[in-house]
Amino acid sequence: MKEVHAVVGYLSDKVAKALGPKGQSGEPLEIKLERGGDGDTYVRISPNDIAGVLVGASQKGETSVQVLLKENATVETFTRAAVSDLLKPIRDLSFIKYRPPINVIYVDPRFIDKLIDINRQKTS
C-alpha cells in the first residue's frame, strides 16, 4: 500500500468553504496547527502539492481539515506571534556602565606551544 502524508490543522470557516476537493484556491494554504490563539504555528502548502482536502467540523469560526499531500511535496512551517513573544533582548555586558574589564588575548596558532611552555615555566 502506498503511503500518503497529511497535514492536520485548522482553517477559517471562510477559507475552508472556498476550497475545492483538491484544495484549489490559487494561493498557498496556511493551516494553523492548533485551534484558537494569536501566536500559533502554521504550515504553508502550495496548491501544486495538495492531493486532496478532507473537511471536518467547525467550531468558533475554525474548520478542522486534513490536507493530503502529493508524493515529494514540500511544506513550510512558521510561527506568527507578537514580536515581544518571539524576540528577546540580547544582554550585552559592554552596554553596562560599571562592568569588570574584558581581556582578550590573540595568539598566532604557530606560537601556542611556546606560550604554553612560557606559562608553565612561570607557574612552576
Side-chain angles (χ1 to χ4, degrees):
M1 181 173 186
K2 191 172 181 181
E3 190 174 282
V4 175
H5 291 92
V7 174
V8 178
Y10 303 91
L11 293 172
S12 70
D13 289 343
K14 181 180 175 182
V15 172
K17 288 178 184 175
L19 283 177
K22 297 280 186 188
Q24 307 93 330
S25 68
E27 295 184 20
L29 278 182
E30 291 185 359
I31 298 152
K32 195 185 318 185
L33 296 183
E34 294 180 25
R35 188 181 294 276
D38 293 331
D40 293 323
T41 304
Y42 291 79
V43 174
R44 182 180 296 133
I45 307 169
S46 168
N48 298 332
D49 289 329
I50 298 173
V53 179
L54 303 175
V55 179
S58 172
Q59 183 179 14
K60 296 182 181 176
E62 293 180 327
T63 300
S64 62
V65 293
Q66 185 174 4
V67 180
L68 305 170
L69 303 174
K70 292 180 179 176
E71 191 172 354
N72 299 320
T74 58
V75 299
E76 299 173 67
T77 58
F78 62 97
T79 300
R80 278 198 185 120
V83 172
S84 60
D85 292 339
L86 290 176
L87 302 178
K88 302 296 178 198
I90 298 171
R91 305 291 182 211
D92 188 346
L93 294 176
S94 66
F95 293 131
I96 299 172
K97 189 173 181 178
Y98 301 104
R99 62 173 173 80
I102 298 173
N103 298 312
V104 179
I105 300 172
Y106 295 96
V107 178
D108 187 317
R110 294 175 294 171
F111 301 122
I112 290 176
D113 290 337
K114 188 173 183 177
L115 181 64
I116 292 170
D117 288 341
I118 292 169
N119 178 261
R120 287 186 183 177
Q121 289 173 6
K122 297 238 179 206
T123 58
S124 47

